[in-house]
Amino acid sequence: MDDGLVPNDRLRAAIDAAGLTIEDVSARAAVDPKTVARWVYSDGRRPHRTTRLRVAKLLQVAESHLWPTNGRAPAAGSPAVAELVHLYPTRSAVPFTLWTELIQGATEAVDVLVFSGQFLVEQYDLLPVIRAKSARGVRFRLAVGDHTSPAVVQRAEEEGTTGGLEGRIQMMRRYLHEVAHLPGVEVRTHGTILYNSVYRFDDQALINGHAFGSLAGQNPVIHIRRVPEGGMWDHYMRSFERVWDVAVPETVEG
């Protein structure tokens, strides 16, 4: 029966961030694996407080973050709090399993705002995903940098990779050229200052902030989800739309 409840993405993210599996949590918390799986993926029930505290200690996350006190669904509480799924100290700390779950799980829309984003293709095999999901009606909007723009050249100098960033962008544009002709797939280039990289998968997103002089992978990432009346989601999605509106469509042959 559908109670309007949603999977507990906070709990799932915390398990991934701790490098554990559902079976690991089950063994250490003395709970049946099927029960842990239900906490994460199906019914949204709150375990007994003793169990909640044990799991929170294991995952090194506040119990109130994993299971908000107001209601059963993980999105309970104020919208600002409910939107935040997890905070990662660096992009490199985002679990491989989370990237793959978000990429593979998208059924409606994927929006990406980056300068390069080459890692999506080379580490997470994005191109076959785009081909398969495009055929099923998933929309892709991919905004990458214009490697000749002053913003990109300046960013490369600031992070100490003069010429390197430009080369990675060229490689990414070449990769995306293979899928830019597919239905529902749009690729554009932009020359705006990249304050944040945005990776949106349906109603979840990873936001990679950028600090002066540091590489993208060294900067924190916030994992957010869309909830009613949530402000962060709209804030970052408006930013994406502003860049998308001024970005230049890539030329598609054939």
Side-chain angles (χ1 to χ4, degrees):
M1 182 176 64
D2 184 1
D3 293 326
L5 299 175
V6 296
N8 192 333
D9 291 312
R10 293 184 181 184
L11 179 57
R12 178 175 60 181
I15 292 172
D16 286 343
L20 301 175
T21 65
I22 284 178
E23 290 72 21
D24 294 329
V25 174
S26 165
R28 300 187 194 187
V31 179
D32 186 272
K34 292 181 180 179
T35 299
V36 179
R38 286 197 295 270
W39 296 343
V40 175
Y41 294 111
S42 57
D43 57 18
R45 285 181 292 183
R46 289 161 52 83
H48 187 277
R49 186 169 186 273
T50 302
T51 303
R52 296 200 307 270
L53 293 174
R54 189 184 304 130
V55 172
K57 182 178 180 181
L58 170 64
L59 301 179
Q60 298 184 8
V61 177
E63 177 259 338
S64 59
H65 175 78
L66 297 175
W67 289 284
T69 56
N70 298 326
R72 296 169 61 199
S78 70
V81 173
E83 281 182 287
L84 179 63
V85 176
H86 202 79
L87 170 64
Y88 296 94
T90 64
R91 194 187 74 195
S92 304
V94 179
F96 181 89
T97 52
L98 177 59
W99 282 109
T100 54
E101 284 180 8
L102 292 176
I103 292 171
Q104 296 290 342
T107 60
E108 296 179 359
V110 174
D111 293 331
V112 173
L113 170 61
V114 291
F115 269 162
S116 169
Q118 185 180 359
F119 74 97
L120 292 171
V121 173
E122 298 184 347
Q123 295 180 35
Y124 300 101
D125 210 16
L126 182 64
L127 297 185
V129 174
I130 292 177
R131 292 188 183 100
K133 290 185 177 292
S134 166
R136 296 198 292 268
V138 179
R139 182 202 70 191
F140 288 84
R141 295 189 297 174
L142 308 157
V144 300
D146 173 356
H147 64 279
T148 66
S149 68
V152 167
V153 174
Q154 179 179 343
R155 169 68 178 276
E157 292 175 352
E158 291 170 354
E159 66 180 19
T161 61
T162 303
L165 176 59
E166 295 93 325
R168 295 197 304 276
I169 291 173
Q170 288 177 291
M171 182 68 74
M172 185 60 168
R173 291 176 68 179
R174 182 175 176 182
Y175 279 138
L176 294 178
H177 184 75
E178 298 180 17
V179 295
H181 66 284
L182 296 175
V185 178
E186 294 182 80
V187 180
R188 298 185 183 182
T189 59
H190 70 97
T192 66
I193 297 174
L194 191 66
Y195 297 104
N196 297 279
S197 294
V198 175
Y199 308 90
R200 178 265 181 106
F201 309 94
D202 293 344
D203 289 339
Q204 298 189 64
L206 298 175
I207 310 297
N208 185 188
H210 298 292
F212 182 89
S214 60
L215 300 171
Q218 298 173 322
N219 291 306
V221 170
I222 58 172
H223 179 185
I224 61 174
R225 65 174 297 128
R226 174 187 260 165
V227 299
E229 301 180 8
M232 281 195 296
W233 178 273
D234 290 341
H235 176 74
Y236 286 111
M237 294 308 109
R238 279 196 299 267
S239 177
F240 174 89
E241 295 294 344
R242 291 188 185 106
V243 177
W244 187 254
D245 286 344
V246 299
V248 179
E250 285 279 65
T251 301
V252 179
E253 298 177 359

